[in-house]
């Protein structure tokens, strides 16, 4: 199993529709395939799923105060219907399928998160495991 975990324990104040900073990698197990392509690449605001497979995403958001809005998972910048966190349980648990083939990265998907309401997050933890090749 391949995995990546990112955490941002630094408080961040977000405006409406702003992309959430995911922070830094705190754990990673990722090996290149026969074509030299790693399963994960990341920036501070997104994780790209580069290889064919099914990926399990678990994202936890910890606001500094009660939150009445919605946090949404984005695939390549497009909101994913149903992949949201709201209310008292700010967790997104979702599966993403990437159907690229060896050496083709055009079908890779970049995962990020946004909020529809201004808020301050005290901590963000995102874990992704590659479940099926």
């Amino acid at each position: 199993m391949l995995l990546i975990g990112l955490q941002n324990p630094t408080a961040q104040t977000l405006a409406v529709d702003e992309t959430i900073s995911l922070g830094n990698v705190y754990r990673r197990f990722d090996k290149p395939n026969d074509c030299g392509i790693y399963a994960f690449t990341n920036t501070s605001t997104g994780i790209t799923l580069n290889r064919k497979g099914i990926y399990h995403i678990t994202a936890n958001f910890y606001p500094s105060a009660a939150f009445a809005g919605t946090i949404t998972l984005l695939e390549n910048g497009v909101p994913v219907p149903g992949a949201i966190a709201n209310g008292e349980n700010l967790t997104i648990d979702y599966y993403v399928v990437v159907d690229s083939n060896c050496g083709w990265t055009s079908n890779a998907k970049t995962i990020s998160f946004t909020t529809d309401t201004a808020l301050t997050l005290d901590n963000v933890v995102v874990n992704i495991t590659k479940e099926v090749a």
Side-chain angles (χ1 to χ4, degrees), residues 20 23-25 35 46 48 54 64 67 91 94 97 100 107-108 123 127 131:
I20 296 170
N24 297 311
V25 174
C35 298
T48 302
I54 299 173
S64 60
F67 177 63
T91 298
Y94 192 75
V97 176
S100 63
N107 290 336
N123 196 0
N127 291 295
E131 300 285 328

Side-chain angles (χ1 to χ4, degrees), residues 52-126:
K52 178 181 179 180
I54 299 173
Y55 295 81
H56 183 202
I57 300 168
T58 305
N60 295 290
F61 305 93
Y62 302 92
S64 60
F67 177 63
T70 299
I71 295 174
T72 303
L73 182 143
L74 306 173
E75 268 185 23
N76 296 331
V78 177
V80 176
I84 59 171
N86 56 21
E88 292 184 25
N89 182 10
L90 291 178
T91 298
I92 294 176
D93 188 29
Y94 192 75
Y95 288 86
V96 171
V97 176
V98 176
D99 60 2
S100 63
N101 291 318
C102 185
W104 298 357
T105 58
S106 61
N107 290 336
K109 293 183 179 177
T110 299
I111 303 302
S112 57
F113 302 89
T114 188
T115 175
D116 69 353
T117 307
L119 84 147
T120 299
L121 290 172
D122 289 338
N123 196 0
V124 175
V125 179
V126 178

